[in-house]
Structures are given as structure tokens and as C-alpha cells.
Amino acid sequence: MLPRYFVAAGAPEPVPPLPVAQVLALIGAEGSARQALVEDLAGALRPVPAEAGSLPAALMERVLRHELAGAPVRLPAQAAWWMAVEAMEQPADPPGLNDPIYLYGRLYGTADGAADGAADGLQSHRGQLTLTRGDLLSGFLRGRRQGFETGEGACIHAILPGGTAEETAAGEGVILAIPMLPVELRAADPSMSRANGGLWVELLCDLLAGLQSDLRASAGAQRDAQAAAFAGRLLPVEDRAALIAAWEADGFSVSGQVATRKVRGAGLLSAIASAMMAPEARQIPPQATLEALVPLCGEALALLPGWPDARAAHLAAQMAAISAAPPAGPRPLRIPANTLAEAAGDPAGDP
């Protein structure tokens, strides 16, 4: 059964097993052995055992490096899903600050509703996931520290609630979502990176700008000092160079961090007006980076009324409980006492 807030656009499609193209995340799912979430040559996602024989040697080397650098992602065993996110939409003029948003792409899981690499019947569902600004912002903050190094940069995921508060409390409908360019675009242009930091910058800039626009549209009396500060902040932009070029094409001249435009027109009246009126000036926003956006995401979450809501609180509790549980997998290697003694410099093995 699909997560409640994912609407499929058509029938599910089977996902045939194809060679692995890249590893996207290292998963330590509750109650199962460690797995690698991979993308195959057709762009489909699937979990496979994170061990030699299941992965090419070069990819297995990256898995081992990531394993040594930090703990894998831990997910509930019940109904975990993977989603390749290709686009985001913010509906126009919805009520409130924690607006609903739509993610479009493909959701992957098995026919019985759990994403398990060992199970048969892996399917993909093209469609739309409805969630909130807070869901995506907190999902990014939760997943950013566990980005998997692809060789071209980190692949960063978000852990999202796809079901109701009650389902989330039971560990159901949890979605590991990864913004990804469609495989067709990457195949057409080999220069396109497999890392997704740039896609996250685009998504987060749009989310933060949308929140700021809503804050500015709200009545001043309804805003506290923190909200007013965010409403007046100069947010970083996805492509600063493109913005400057667009302003210059619109008649602005750039000097340092300011773009200015004088009164347009020809003739004596325009000259007088230009001399009497102050030129229009705009401060040029900084170039966005993931590092600069992280604290802004935290500030934005603090502005959302009623945040964290029930779904967010249940998901945080689920993730905390899983992280505190002992990892599943092989038993620790038992080393004979005499071997330990020899390692400590006592060949006889005496205590």
C-alpha cells in the first residue's frame, strides 16, 4: 500500500534488475543487514547488499570509506520507500506559513509495501508527494550529514513522512527522498554531476524565498521580531551571476555589491527628473551555498507556527529510537584472550 500522501499517476511499473551505476546512500535498516541504495543504468533505485559481489569494486570501495567515516542511515523496517525527486511545486497563495508543497518523481518499493532489496516485485510509481515546507526543511537537515560521496560530490537525501501522524508513529510510510536529475538529461550531457548539492540549493532557495514572500505579505502586527528580521533579510540566490546579468539587461549598472538604475528616458524633462530623483538601488544578494543555507533552514523552521507538528514529532522519535538501538548484522568477532595479550606485548598471555 502506497504512503497516504503520495498520489500515483498511473499503474505501477516493474523494475527489472540492471547493473549498478552508482551508490546513493548507505542504509542500516532496522532489523536487517546493511544495504546500499543504488541507481541502476536505467535510473531506477533499489537497495542491494552492501558487500563485495553485489557492487562493483570501485563502488564497494566508496561504501567502505563512507562506512568508516560515519554511521549509515537507519530507517524503520516497516514500509520504507525510496523516491527520486525531479521537481518541486509551491502552490500559489495557500493559507499559512507552513504551506503544502508538491514533490514530483518516482517512488520505489516492493509490491507488499516495504522497500526490501531481497524481496521480489520491486515496483516504481510515478506521481506526486504532498508534504509541507517544514517536512522538507527538516528532512534536509536530518539527512545532510549522511550524504554519500559519489566521486563528484555528495549525494544528499531527506527523510520524509509520507503517511499520517498515526502511521508515522508506527514507522510506516517513511520515505528516503533524493533530488535527482532525470537519467535522460545526464546521459545527454556527461558533464552533469551525479552529486545533487546544486539541486538542493535550488530547492531550498525556492522554499526560503516563498516563506519570506508570505511573511512580507502578512500584516506587520502579526509578525514578531524574529519573523520581521527574516522578512527583511537579503536571502542568498541560486545563481548570482545570472541575476546580475538580468539586472544589467534591465538597465542597472553594478558597482561592488550594489546595482543602480537612473530614471530612463530622453529629453530635458527626463534629464531634470534624473538629476532630482535618487537612482533606484538594489543590494546584490550573495551566492547560495549549502553551508550558508543550513542556518537559514533552522531559522525558517522556528518561524512555522505549531512546528514541529505531530508527524514531525513522531518521525523524530522514530529516528531517535532507531539510532539508539544496536545495529543489526553479524555478531562481533571474538578474539582469543592470548591473542589480545600478544597484541599488548605479552607473548605468554599472562594477565
Side-chain angles (χ1 to χ4, degrees):
M1 186 174 181
L2 292 174
R4 176 175 177 80
Y5 294 111
F6 181 86
V7 178
E13 302 175 17
V15 180
L18 293 175
V20 174
Q22 66 169 327
V23 176
L24 304 176
L26 183 61
I27 310 295
E30 181 185 13
S32 64
R34 193 160 296 183
Q35 296 177 321
L37 180 64
V38 303
E39 179 189 25
D40 67 25
L41 294 177
L45 308 187
R46 69 168 64 246
V48 301
E51 57 188 34
S54 297
L55 293 169
L59 295 183
M60 190 62 205
E61 181 183 351
R62 290 178 189 161
V63 166
L64 296 177
R65 286 204 305 265
H66 184 86
E67 196 172 81
L68 291 173
V73 185
R74 302 285 297 279
L75 296 172
Q78 316 93 293
W81 301 82
W82 330 114
M83 185 174 181
V85 178
E86 298 176 359
M88 180 187 76
E89 179 187 358
Q90 299 189 78
D93 300 325
L97 297 178
N98 195 19
D99 292 346
I101 61 174
Y102 304 138
L103 298 183
Y104 299 96
R106 281 192 179 272
L107 187 73
Y108 295 84
T110 55
D112 61 0
D116 183 349
D120 294 328
L122 185 66
Q123 297 176 338
S124 74
H125 311 257
R126 179 166 291 281
Q128 167 193 306
L129 174 66
T130 302
L131 63 163
T132 67
R133 281 177 177 156
D135 289 330
L136 189 55
L137 289 170
S138 61
F140 163 73
L141 293 177
R142 183 179 291 113
R144 70 180 182 88
R145 296 181 181 275
Q146 297 169 310
F148 190 90
E149 179 56 51
T150 67
E152 300 171 351
C155 180
I156 301 170
H157 64 266
I159 300 173
L160 306 173
T164 64
E166 294 75 17
E167 290 166 341
T168 306
E172 298 175 357
V174 177
I175 299 173
L176 189 148
I178 302 179
M180 298 175 64
L181 287 171
V183 68
E184 298 82 6
L185 295 180
R186 284 176 282 148
D189 186 356
S191 68
M192 288 187 175
S193 174
R194 290 178 173 177
N196 66 354
L199 297 177
W200 270 116
V201 167
E202 179 181 350
L203 291 175
L204 296 174
C205 283
D206 286 348
L207 276 179
L208 296 173
L211 174 61
Q212 186 182 65
S213 178
D214 286 352
L215 284 169
R216 289 174 174 174
S218 64
Q222 297 176 352
R223 298 203 309 251
D224 58 19
Q226 188 178 11
F230 194 92
R233 185 188 297 274
L234 186 66
L235 293 177
V237 292
E238 175 194 353
D239 193 335
R240 187 174 189 265
L243 178 65
I244 291 174
W247 284 0
E248 288 177 333
D250 197 31
F252 284 82
S253 59
V254 174
S255 177
Q257 303 303 312
V258 179
T260 57
R261 178 174 61 184
K262 293 188 176 182
V263 176
R264 291 182 172 183
L268 180 60
L269 291 179
S270 294
I272 294 173
S274 179
M276 294 179 64
M277 297 175 62
E280 180 184 354
R282 298 176 180 176
Q283 190 173 357
I284 302 174
Q287 173 66 43
T289 64
L290 280 180
E291 291 74 18
L293 291 172
V294 166
L296 291 175
C297 291
E299 290 181 36
L301 284 173
L303 296 174
L304 301 179
W307 186 265
D309 59 15
R311 290 200 313 159
H314 287 316
L315 181 58
Q318 278 281 333
M319 300 306 296
I322 295 169
S323 297
R331 293 180 179 272
L333 179 65
R334 296 187 178 275
I335 304 176
N338 62 334
T339 304
L340 291 172
E342 290 174 7
D346 183 359
D350 295 330

